[in-house]
Short mmCIF file of all heavy atoms in Angstrom, two decimals:
data_model
loop_
_atom_site.label_atom_id
_atom_site.label_comp_id
_atom_site.label_asym_id
_atom_site.label_seq_id
_atom_site.Cartn_x
_atom_site.Cartn_y
_atom_site.Cartn_z
N ALA A 204 -37.29 -47.12 -59.35
CA ALA A 204 -36.33 -48.23 -59.46
C ALA A 204 -36.54 -49.23 -58.33
O ALA A 204 -36.49 -50.45 -58.55
CB ALA A 204 -34.90 -47.69 -59.43
N GLY A 205 -36.79 -48.74 -57.12
CA GLY A 205 -37.06 -49.64 -56.02
C GLY A 205 -38.32 -50.44 -56.22
O GLY A 205 -38.39 -51.63 -55.88
N ALA A 206 -39.37 -49.81 -56.80
CA ALA A 206 -40.62 -50.52 -57.05
C ALA A 206 -40.48 -51.54 -58.18
O ALA A 206 -41.08 -52.61 -58.15
CB ALA A 206 -41.72 -49.52 -57.40
N ARG A 207 -39.65 -51.21 -59.19
CA ARG A 207 -39.53 -52.08 -60.36
C ARG A 207 -38.55 -53.23 -60.15
O ARG A 207 -38.82 -54.36 -60.52
CB ARG A 207 -39.10 -51.23 -61.57
CG ARG A 207 -39.06 -52.03 -62.88
CD ARG A 207 -38.63 -51.13 -64.04
NE ARG A 207 -39.67 -50.17 -64.38
CZ ARG A 207 -39.54 -48.86 -64.31
NH1 ARG A 207 -38.40 -48.33 -63.89
NH2 ARG A 207 -40.52 -48.07 -64.66
N ARG A 208 -37.40 -52.92 -59.55
CA ARG A 208 -36.34 -53.92 -59.45
C ARG A 208 -36.02 -54.33 -58.01
O ARG A 208 -35.15 -55.16 -57.79
CB ARG A 208 -35.05 -53.39 -60.10
CG ARG A 208 -35.20 -53.13 -61.59
CD ARG A 208 -33.87 -52.72 -62.21
NE ARG A 208 -33.96 -52.60 -63.65
CZ ARG A 208 -34.35 -51.52 -64.30
NH1 ARG A 208 -34.68 -50.45 -63.61
NH2 ARG A 208 -34.43 -51.49 -65.61
N GLY A 209 -36.71 -53.75 -57.06
CA GLY A 209 -36.42 -54.04 -55.66
C GLY A 209 -35.40 -53.08 -55.11
O GLY A 209 -34.62 -52.47 -55.84
N TRP A 210 -35.38 -52.97 -53.79
CA TRP A 210 -34.54 -51.96 -53.13
C TRP A 210 -33.12 -52.43 -52.86
O TRP A 210 -32.28 -51.64 -52.45
CB TRP A 210 -35.20 -51.52 -51.83
CG TRP A 210 -36.29 -50.51 -52.07
CD1 TRP A 210 -37.61 -50.75 -52.27
CD2 TRP A 210 -36.12 -49.09 -52.18
NE1 TRP A 210 -38.29 -49.58 -52.49
CE2 TRP A 210 -37.39 -48.55 -52.43
CE3 TRP A 210 -35.03 -48.25 -52.07
CZ2 TRP A 210 -37.59 -47.18 -52.58
CZ3 TRP A 210 -35.22 -46.89 -52.22
CH2 TRP A 210 -36.49 -46.36 -52.47
N THR A 211 -32.83 -53.70 -53.09
CA THR A 211 -31.49 -54.20 -52.77
C THR A 211 -30.43 -53.47 -53.58
O THR A 211 -29.42 -53.00 -53.04
CB THR A 211 -31.42 -55.70 -53.03
OG1 THR A 211 -32.40 -56.37 -52.23
CG2 THR A 211 -30.03 -56.24 -52.68
N LEU A 212 -30.64 -53.35 -54.90
CA LEU A 212 -29.66 -52.68 -55.75
C LEU A 212 -29.56 -51.19 -55.42
O LEU A 212 -28.47 -50.61 -55.42
CB LEU A 212 -30.02 -52.87 -57.23
CG LEU A 212 -29.78 -54.27 -57.80
CD1 LEU A 212 -30.28 -54.33 -59.24
CD2 LEU A 212 -28.30 -54.63 -57.75
N VAL A 213 -30.70 -50.56 -55.16
CA VAL A 213 -30.70 -49.12 -54.83
C VAL A 213 -29.91 -48.88 -53.55
O VAL A 213 -29.05 -47.98 -53.50
CB VAL A 213 -32.14 -48.60 -54.71
CG1 VAL A 213 -32.14 -47.14 -54.26
CG2 VAL A 213 -32.89 -48.74 -56.02
N LEU A 214 -30.18 -49.66 -52.53
CA LEU A 214 -29.48 -49.48 -51.26
C LEU A 214 -27.99 -49.83 -51.37
O LEU A 214 -27.14 -49.15 -50.78
CB LEU A 214 -30.14 -50.34 -50.18
CG LEU A 214 -31.55 -49.89 -49.75
CD1 LEU A 214 -32.20 -50.95 -48.88
CD2 LEU A 214 -31.48 -48.57 -49.00
N ALA A 215 -27.68 -50.87 -52.16
CA ALA A 215 -26.27 -51.25 -52.35
C ALA A 215 -25.50 -50.13 -53.06
O ALA A 215 -24.37 -49.79 -52.68
CB ALA A 215 -26.17 -52.55 -53.14
N GLY A 216 -26.11 -49.55 -54.08
CA GLY A 216 -25.47 -48.43 -54.77
C GLY A 216 -25.28 -47.23 -53.86
O GLY A 216 -24.25 -46.54 -53.91
N SER A 217 -26.26 -46.99 -53.00
CA SER A 217 -26.16 -45.89 -52.06
C SER A 217 -25.03 -46.11 -51.07
O SER A 217 -24.29 -45.17 -50.73
CB SER A 217 -27.50 -45.72 -51.31
OG SER A 217 -27.44 -44.66 -50.40
N VAL A 218 -24.86 -47.35 -50.60
CA VAL A 218 -23.77 -47.67 -49.68
C VAL A 218 -22.41 -47.43 -50.35
O VAL A 218 -21.48 -46.89 -49.74
CB VAL A 218 -23.88 -49.13 -49.18
CG1 VAL A 218 -22.61 -49.55 -48.44
CG2 VAL A 218 -25.09 -49.28 -48.27
N LEU A 219 -22.28 -47.81 -51.62
CA LEU A 219 -21.02 -47.61 -52.34
C LEU A 219 -20.70 -46.11 -52.46
O LEU A 219 -19.54 -45.70 -52.30
CB LEU A 219 -21.09 -48.25 -53.73
CG LEU A 219 -21.10 -49.79 -53.75
CD1 LEU A 219 -21.26 -50.29 -55.18
CD2 LEU A 219 -19.82 -50.35 -53.13
N LEU A 220 -21.70 -45.30 -52.74
CA LEU A 220 -21.48 -43.85 -52.82
C LEU A 220 -21.09 -43.28 -51.46
O LEU A 220 -20.22 -42.40 -51.37
CB LEU A 220 -22.74 -43.15 -53.34
CG LEU A 220 -23.09 -43.40 -54.81
CD1 LEU A 220 -24.41 -42.73 -55.16
CD2 LEU A 220 -21.98 -42.91 -55.74
N TRP A 221 -21.72 -43.79 -50.41
CA TRP A 221 -21.36 -43.34 -49.06
C TRP A 221 -19.90 -43.70 -48.74
O TRP A 221 -19.16 -42.88 -48.17
CB TRP A 221 -22.30 -43.97 -48.03
CG TRP A 221 -21.89 -43.70 -46.62
CD1 TRP A 221 -22.10 -42.57 -45.90
CD2 TRP A 221 -21.16 -44.59 -45.77
NE1 TRP A 221 -21.56 -42.70 -44.64
CE2 TRP A 221 -20.97 -43.92 -44.54
CE3 TRP A 221 -20.66 -45.88 -45.92
CZ2 TRP A 221 -20.31 -44.51 -43.47
CZ3 TRP A 221 -19.99 -46.47 -44.86
CH2 TRP A 221 -19.82 -45.79 -43.65
N LEU A 222 -19.49 -44.91 -49.10
CA LEU A 222 -18.10 -45.30 -48.88
C LEU A 222 -17.15 -44.39 -49.64
O LEU A 222 -16.10 -43.98 -49.13
CB LEU A 222 -17.89 -46.75 -49.30
CG LEU A 222 -18.46 -47.82 -48.37
CD1 LEU A 222 -18.38 -49.20 -49.02
CD2 LEU A 222 -17.73 -47.82 -47.04
N ALA A 223 -17.51 -44.05 -50.89
CA ALA A 223 -16.66 -43.15 -51.68
C ALA A 223 -16.54 -41.79 -51.03
O ALA A 223 -15.50 -41.13 -51.10
CB ALA A 223 -17.23 -43.03 -53.10
#
Side-chain angles (χ1 to χ4, degrees):
R207 185 180 289 118
R208 297 185 174 86
W210 280 92
T211 302
L212 287 176
V213 175
L214 291 169
S217 180
V218 169
L219 290 176
L220 291 176
W221 172 79
L222 286 171

